[in-house]
Amino acid sequence: MPLPKAPTKRAARLETSAFETTPAVSKPGTQRQTPLAKVASKTISSKTSASATPTKASAAARAAVDSSPAVQTTFAPAPAPALVSRKPAEVSATAQKPKARKKNAHAGDKPKLFVLDTNVLMHDPMSLFRFEEHDIYLPMITLEELDGHKKGMTEVARNVRQVSRELDALAGGLQGSSIAEMAKGMPLDHTGHREAGGKLFFQTQLIDTPLPAGLPQGKADNQILGVVQALKLQQPEREVVLVSKDINMRIKARALGLAAEDYRNDKTLEDSDLLYTGVQALPADFWERHGKTMESWQQGGLTFYRISGPLVPSLLVNELLYLEAPGAAPLYAKVMEITGKTAVLRTLKDYGNQKHAVWGVTARNREQNFALNLLLDPDCDFVTLTGTAGTGKTLMTLAAGLSQVLDERRYSEIIVTRVTVPVGEDIGFLPGTEEEKMGPWMGALDDNLEVLARGDNAAGEWGRAATNDLVRSKIKIKSLNFMRGRTFLNKYVIIDEAQNLTPKQMKTLITRAGPGTKIVCLGNLAQIDTPYLTEGSSGLTYAVDRFKGWAHSGHITLARGERSRLADFASEVL
């Protein structure tokens, strides 16, 4: 609604007698009432009981206005009533917003009480501060189990030690060390975690709650279930929930009539089908809808397009686009930049053509061509490739790495690492140096190097042997356990089987990158072997979701297997 025109005449000052007899003061709620009088009438009417007569209320309002120092204010001329009638509406709307927020904030009556299982703290040491305004309860047996896992150099031991430090900092903030002070709870935001608004409670007294006869009393999980059951009886006015990563424990809790939930804060996505694929199909009418305002130019043998239209808001930087229509030349492009309502697309190099082969490897499908374009792009510092078995992730990554290390001299060497999680029974400790210990885990690397070296038939057996020695001299195999504190300069780093990494481990590896380093993460989210990791909480999923849209990263989900017809059929039916 447009504002009225500015007044053309000067405002006149009202006399005090005229102001006292104006009907706007004696009738609260009319449009000609001033904001000051309206606020005064609201204040007095709220203090007056519901049975008060209108005459008394108006008299009180008149008295409040008469005693106000704002009587000598200047009033607006004729157009002012429209502005005055508009402002109270704005004031009332503004006054209603805090009330709505306050109502939503207290919609849940009393905060919930979450009882944490030991495996939650081992999995995420910061889980203490992930429950917003709700309270947390730690049974004594949970602290006992944490104490039993604090020794060692494993990731679990590090997490347990971090949890112990956080608990010590919280307990140190108490005014006294008596049991009564501990029973009142410790504010979780005491150590600076402002997102946690609840309290932390320790078990300060013995809880003796008989469990069903089928559950042995000495087991730690059953003792935690007994604590949850006792808390539910002691505090019937609030909801007591057990949080555990152990599926069987949650099943037992529900069988006993107790509320149990999985720890979901570590999940990047609830459904893996929502994961960013890095590829988008252009609509069939792309040229008709965007051709009129499109700009195009050529540079370096590639064509650039600047488009503006309804498609731009749905694009991300470094996203791969394709348009395949029958009877027309296909379009394969990458989003180079997005500025306001315009986007710049650049056509891709065709690595499916034999003359553009990378170390004898050519792309066999559209996604492989996209992947090779990202792997060979010097501006992409971080590339993630996901896909089922046999889609060519390792082969293409190695071929692109050897091409840039040996041919283009862009990187000094290739570093390969992976998580050492066995599929079957562990065979125990392995002899030898670090590289020799990692040898059995790098069978996939050896298989792909054999494929790449076999393509050079003209060199003969001696030539292939020399090539193998040269290639292996440029490839270093490193263990994940010794990565902390390192910095890689001008390296081509391959992280294989990245789906078995936790988000914390993924962050540790990616932050090792120094100037001129490229990191490539490979993984199949359907083959996670690490306990307590799922497709939604994997470090690979975390990295893909966090890096999408960054100008120096790219992601491709490889869809079709190219290993063999047997492997493709097995991936579909087994």
Side-chain angles (χ1 to χ4, degrees):
M1 176 181 176
L3 293 174
K5 296 181 179 179
T8 56
K9 296 183 179 180
R10 196 180 186 89
R13 187 183 297 273
L14 291 178
E15 299 294 335
T16 306
S17 58
F19 179 71
E20 290 178 351
T21 57
T22 180
V25 178
S26 61
K27 295 181 181 180
T30 57
Q31 288 188 351
R32 297 187 63 85
Q33 183 181 359
T34 62
L36 176 62
K38 187 170 183 179
V39 172
S41 63
K42 278 187 177 181
T43 306
I44 296 171
S45 62
S46 63
K47 294 181 180 179
T48 309
S49 61
S51 59
T53 58
T55 307
K56 294 181 179 180
S58 59
R62 187 182 302 110
V65 174
D66 290 344
S67 60
S68 173
V71 172
Q72 299 299 329
T73 56
T74 304
F75 282 76
L83 288 174
V84 173
S85 64
R86 178 182 175 86
K87 285 183 179 179
E90 295 175 354
V91 172
S92 62
T94 307
Q96 290 174 3
K97 288 181 181 179
K99 293 181 181 179
R101 286 198 296 267
K102 187 175 181 181
K103 184 178 179 181
N104 293 335
H106 297 279
D109 291 337
K110 202 166 185 180
K112 297 180 181 179
L113 182 63
F114 289 104
V115 182
L116 298 191
D117 194 4
T118 314
N119 48 44
V120 176
L121 298 172
M122 292 178 177
H123 178 70
D124 183 8
M126 302 304 293
S127 58
L128 291 168
F129 312 103
R130 308 291 193 203
F131 291 89
E132 297 178 350
E133 75 275 10
H134 303 291
D135 298 333
I136 294 175
Y137 189 95
L138 292 183
M140 195 59 66
I141 189 62
T142 297
L143 300 177
E144 191 70 24
E145 286 190 309
L146 287 175
D147 186 65
H149 290 85
K150 66 182 181 182
K151 295 181 180 179
M153 298 301 296
T154 62
E155 190 71 20
V156 171
R158 293 191 189 97
N159 291 344
V160 169
R161 289 193 291 268
Q162 183 176 350
V163 170
S164 300
R165 288 191 291 269
E166 294 289 347
L167 293 177
D168 181 62
L170 289 171
L174 288 176
Q175 298 297 329
S177 58
S178 63
I179 296 179
E181 291 292 334
M182 297 283 286
K184 293 179 182 178
M186 296 168 285
L188 287 168
D189 59 355
H190 172 70
T191 55
H193 299 274
R194 300 300 178 189
E195 68 276 9
K199 292 184 177 181
L200 173 64
F201 295 90
F202 286 115
Q203 181 182 347
T204 56
Q205 59 184 355
L206 179 64
I207 296 178
D208 187 12
T209 303
L211 289 173
L215 295 178
Q217 299 292 329
K219 194 174 181 181
D221 288 355
N222 297 336
Q223 294 184 37
I224 295 176
L225 291 175
V227 171
V228 177
Q229 194 169 29
L231 291 173
K232 184 179 179 182
L233 296 175
Q234 291 177 4
Q235 305 183 32
E237 73 281 356
R238 70 191 303 186
E239 187 177 355
V240 181
V241 182
L242 171 66
V243 181
S244 175
K245 298 291 292 181
D246 189 350
I247 298 177
N248 292 327
M249 189 171 181
R250 297 200 301 268
I251 294 174
K252 287 194 294 185
R254 295 188 182 108
L256 295 174
L258 305 175
E261 295 180 3
D262 186 13
Y263 179 66
R264 296 190 297 267
N265 196 273
D266 61 332
K267 295 184 179 179
T268 306
L269 298 172
E270 290 292 337
D271 190 357
S272 60
D273 294 337
L274 302 176
L275 184 64
Y276 172 63
T277 62
V279 180
Q280 184 178 159
L282 295 175
D285 58 348
F286 170 75
W287 297 113
E288 288 77 7
R289 299 181 66 179
H290 299 81
K292 295 181 180 179
T293 59
M294 182 182 297
E295 303 176 20
S296 64
W297 66 94
Q298 288 194 353
Q299 182 179 346
L302 300 174
T303 305
F304 291 78
Y305 299 98
R306 178 176 281 110
I307 63 171
S308 60
L311 182 66
V312 174
S314 65
L315 300 179
L316 292 173
V317 178
N318 279 348
E319 189 173 15
L320 284 306
L321 311 175
Y322 70 92
L323 176 60
E324 296 175 344
L331 171 66
Y332 303 109
K334 183 176 76 168
V335 182
M336 298 301 297
E337 65 178 38
I338 299 176
T339 307
K341 297 182 179 180
T342 64
V344 176
L345 313 181
R346 189 192 71 186
T347 57
L348 300 178
K349 196 172 182 179
D350 184 17
Y351 289 102
N353 196 326
Q354 188 62 39
K355 68 178 182 179
H356 294 151
V358 181
W359 264 67
V361 175
T362 57
R364 295 188 179 183
N365 55 54
R366 179 179 61 234
E367 285 76 17
Q368 286 189 355
N369 186 35
F370 290 165
L372 284 174
N373 274 275
L374 290 178
L375 292 170
L376 294 167
D377 189 352
D379 290 332
C380 277
D381 300 332
F382 182 70
V383 179
T384 50
L385 301 180
T386 60
T388 58
T391 50
K393 302 184 294 294
T394 308
L395 181 64
M396 289 189 302
T397 304
L398 266 179
L402 291 173
S403 173
Q404 295 175 93
V405 169
L406 296 176
D407 297 342
E408 301 178 19
R409 308 284 180 149
R410 185 176 296 157
Y411 307 105
S412 59
E413 63 181 2
I414 299 175
I415 293 179
V416 185
T417 185
R418 61 170 291 176
V419 187
T420 54
V421 180
V423 177
E425 191 69 26
D426 197 353
I427 62 175
F429 292 102
L430 299 173
T433 62
E434 177 190 359
E435 193 152 340
E436 291 172 346
K437 289 177 183 293
M438 292 295 295
W441 300 100
M442 292 299 169
L445 175 66
D446 297 333
D447 296 340
N448 287 281
L449 287 178
E450 183 180 348
V451 173
L452 294 173
R454 192 170 52 189
D456 192 7
N457 295 323
E461 186 175 351
W462 289 98
R464 286 196 299 271
T467 302
N468 285 334
D469 292 340
L470 176 62
V471 166
R472 292 186 180 277
S473 68
K474 292 294 184 180
I475 298 178
K476 297 293 187 297
I477 300 173
K478 300 296 180 182
S479 174
L480 189 67
N481 301 332
F482 308 106
M483 287 294 180
R484 194 178 295 276
R486 296 199 59 181
T487 302
F488 298 127
L489 301 176
N490 295 318
K491 301 291 193 297
Y492 186 89
V493 182
I494 302 174
I495 305 174
D496 200 11
E497 303 295 334
Q499 77 275 2
N500 290 319
L501 291 169
T502 64
K504 187 176 179 181
Q505 290 173 328
M506 180 65 76
K507 179 181 178 180
T508 301
L509 287 176
I510 297 176
T511 51
R512 301 305 99 208
T517 294
K518 187 187 192 80
I519 294 182
V520 184
C521 293
L522 315 176
N524 180 9
L525 291 172
Q527 295 179 350
I528 296 178
D529 302 315
T530 304
Y532 302 128
L533 271 189
T534 62
E535 295 180 3
S537 61
S538 170
L540 182 59
T541 305
Y542 180 75
V544 171
D545 187 70
R546 291 296 189 272
F547 275 91
K548 66 180 181 182
W550 187 46
H552 302 288
S553 70
H555 169 71
I556 290 295
T557 300
L558 300 171
R560 198 172 75 192
E562 300 289 352
R563 178 171 289 166
S564 67
R565 58 190 179 189
L566 173 60
D568 297 344
F569 185 72
S571 298
E572 294 176 2
V573 301
L574 295 182

